[in-house]
């Protein structure tokens, strides 16, 4: 047997082993990201395009190498019908390689967390988004710690779950909100109500909430924001933080753009801001989100990042190997 035949045999054996693992793996949770977090593993996500037809995108992304997909509504189109079609496409194109019904879908909300009243007045948006069947959302520009309990309540039903401490604010979802999501999740409507709660506040919950701390106002109270029960992940929002902290000077025209290397070259002040959010996140057992490249993924994993933004499957391959992930991908 020559070298090429030997290497070909190894590749075939590896592919057969991977296929076998996919066929025999049984998910422990509906939400793939929750399962990975509980195993102490970081997750990797890619973005969808809300301007394009959702159903076709969903079918195409159902077998993605990523663990989660971000559907951008903060600056993208607020089109719930297209998001529903996307979810149906994921279901029809699924399951994932890990046998989950669909990858975790994280919607960046158009609602901003400036204060509690702003979130309360827009709670209907949170309810409508969750009613499409998505299982993760994130609140942009979270500035006020008191906005978080309202945000959490807007994502919950007004019921008491066994073993879950009663929150000061009652849940705002209600009967009827379970009809379409239950279909998307492949469970009965009664089962959906039992498991569609906020994790890790409810250990049985299958919905995760994020909060972006991305301006100087949120940064000043980030420790208090991340102490609030119900948050699963956060980020330091480098781009918006630059705009808020450095102002127009950051956007001064200095000539034609230089070729990029894929890295985020933030100023020392912005790096310090992100470090503050990172440390507050770790202190409160909230997962920190940051972008990464093949060059720096190990660095960010070593620092404690658990939610990795990337459009490059090589980043995920390196990271999963580094953290010794066992779930099939």
């Amino acid at each position: 047997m020559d070298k090429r035949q030997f290497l070909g045999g190894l590749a075939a054996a590896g592919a057969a082993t991977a296929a076998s693992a996919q066929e025999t793996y049984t998910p422990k949770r509906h939400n793939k990201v929750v399962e990975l977090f509980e195993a102490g593993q970081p997750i990797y996500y890619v973005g969808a395009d809300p301007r394009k037809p959702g159903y076709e995108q969903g079918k195409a992304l159902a077998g993605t190498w990523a663990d989660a997909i971000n559907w951008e509504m903060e600056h993208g189109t607020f089109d719930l019908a297209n998001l529903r079609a996307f979810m149906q496409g994921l279901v029809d194109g699924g399951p994932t390689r890990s046998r989950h019904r669909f990858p975790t879908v994280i919607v960046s909300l158009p609602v901003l967390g400036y204060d509690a009243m702003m979130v309360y007045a827009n709670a209907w948006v949170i309810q409508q988004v969750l009613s499409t069947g998505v299982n993760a959302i994130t609140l942009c520009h979270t500035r006020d710690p008191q906005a978080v309990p309202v945000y959490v309540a807007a994502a919950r039903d007004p019921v008491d779950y066994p073993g879950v401490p009663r929150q000061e604010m009652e849940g705002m979802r209600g009967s009827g909100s379970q009809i379409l999501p239950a279909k998307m999740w492949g469970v009965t409507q009664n089962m959906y109500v039992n498991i569609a709660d906020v994790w890790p506040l409810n250990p049985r919950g299958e919905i995760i909430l994020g909060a972006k701390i991305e301006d100087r106002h949120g940064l000043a109270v980030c420790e208090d924001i991340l102490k609030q029960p119900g948050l699963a992940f956060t980020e330091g929002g480098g781009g918006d933080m630059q705009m808020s902290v450095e102002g127009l000077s950051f956007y001064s025209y200095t000539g034609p753009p230089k070729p990029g290397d894929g890295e985020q070259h933030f100023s020392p002040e912005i790096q310090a801001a992100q470090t503050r959010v990172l440390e507050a996140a770790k202190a409160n057992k909230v997962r920190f989100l940051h972008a990464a490249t093949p060059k720096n993924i190990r660095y960010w994993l070593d620092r404690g990042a658990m939610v990795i933004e990337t459009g490059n499957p090589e980043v995920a391959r390196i990271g999963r190997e580094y953290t010794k992930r066992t779930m099939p991908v």
Side-chain angles (χ1 to χ4, degrees):
M1 180 184 294
D2 63 23
K3 183 178 180 181
R4 283 183 297 178
Q5 289 176 315
F6 176 73
L7 293 176
L10 286 179
T17 301
S20 176
Q22 290 174 21
E23 291 171 2
T24 60
Y25 188 83
T26 301
K28 300 177 179 65
R29 303 292 303 245
H30 161 78
N31 190 323
K32 183 176 182 178
V33 166
V34 170
E35 184 168 342
L36 286 165
F37 282 166
E38 288 186 331
Q41 287 290 327
I43 67 103
Y44 303 83
Y45 78 89
V46 295
D49 189 341
R51 299 168 299 179
K52 295 181 179 179
Y55 183 77
E56 290 77 7
Q57 277 196 90
K59 287 202 74 173
L61 283 171
T64 178
W65 52 267
D67 304 307
I69 301 166
N70 176 235
W71 186 273
E72 218 300 294
M73 279 187 169
E74 182 190 11
H75 303 296
T77 54
F78 184 65
D79 187 342
L80 293 171
N82 203 35
L83 178 55
R84 287 189 179 198
F86 178 73
M87 295 302 299
Q88 189 64 60
L90 285 177
V91 171
D92 291 350
T96 69
R97 299 173 191 176
S98 57
R99 312 305 294 174
H100 290 85
R101 189 167 171 86
F102 53 81
T104 299
V105 178
I106 307 168
V107 174
S108 299
L109 297 169
V111 179
L112 303 180
Y114 286 170
D115 57 35
M117 287 307 300
M118 176 172 279
V119 179
Y120 187 83
N122 289 285
W124 67 274
V125 176
I126 295 168
Q127 295 157 11
Q128 287 280 304
V129 168
L130 289 175
S131 288
T132 66
V134 305
N135 47 11
I137 53 178
T138 187
L139 183 68
C140 301
H141 284 284
T142 307
R143 293 180 174 179
D144 183 357
Q146 295 309 308
V148 178
V150 185
Y151 172 41
V152 173
R156 306 185 74 206
D157 278 313
V159 297
D160 291 330
Y161 290 92
V164 180
R166 178 175 289 190
Q167 300 303 294
E168 184 175 341
M169 192 167 213
E170 185 178 74
M172 299 184 204
R173 298 183 77 188
S175 183
S177 65
Q178 73 272 32
I179 297 172
L180 180 65
K183 178 183 175 183
M184 295 296 183
W185 288 21
V187 299
T188 66
Q189 293 179 27
N190 283 358
M191 177 58 75
Y192 179 84
V193 173
N194 276 269
I195 64 175
D197 196 21
V198 173
W199 182 93
L201 179 65
N202 182 345
R204 290 190 64 205
E206 297 284 358
I207 290 174
I208 55 174
L209 307 182
K212 289 187 180 184
I213 298 172
E214 51 186 345
D215 56 42
R216 64 185 186 276
H217 310 286
L219 179 65
V221 291
C222 68
E223 293 82 5
D224 291 332
I225 289 172
L226 297 179
K227 285 179 183 176
Q228 304 302 313
L231 295 178
F233 64 98
T234 188
E235 66 174 286
D240 279 280
M241 193 71 76
Q242 284 176 152
M243 182 177 283
S244 177
V245 173
E246 298 182 355
L248 194 61
S249 62
F250 179 79
Y251 296 90
S252 60
Y253 181 73
T254 57
K258 298 177 181 179
D261 58 7
E263 304 286 340
Q264 293 180 315
H265 298 283
F266 294 130
S267 68
E269 190 171 9
I270 302 306
Q271 292 180 49
Q274 290 192 322
T275 295
R276 181 174 174 179
V277 176
L278 169 62
E279 294 305 321
K282 290 194 292 186
N284 290 284
K285 298 182 180 179
V286 176
R287 280 75 182 167
F288 183 73
L289 183 158
H290 202 278
T293 66
K295 182 178 178 181
N296 67 18
I297 178 60
R298 294 183 184 88
Y299 167 80
W300 280 109
L301 292 175
D302 286 343
R303 290 196 66 187
M306 290 290 287
V307 182
I308 307 299
E309 175 192 355
T310 180
N312 186 348
E314 181 66 5
V315 173
R317 186 197 67 76
I318 295 169
R320 288 164 176 157
E321 183 178 278
Y322 189 58
T323 59
K324 298 179 172 58
R325 183 189 293 195
T326 58
M327 180 189 290
V329 291

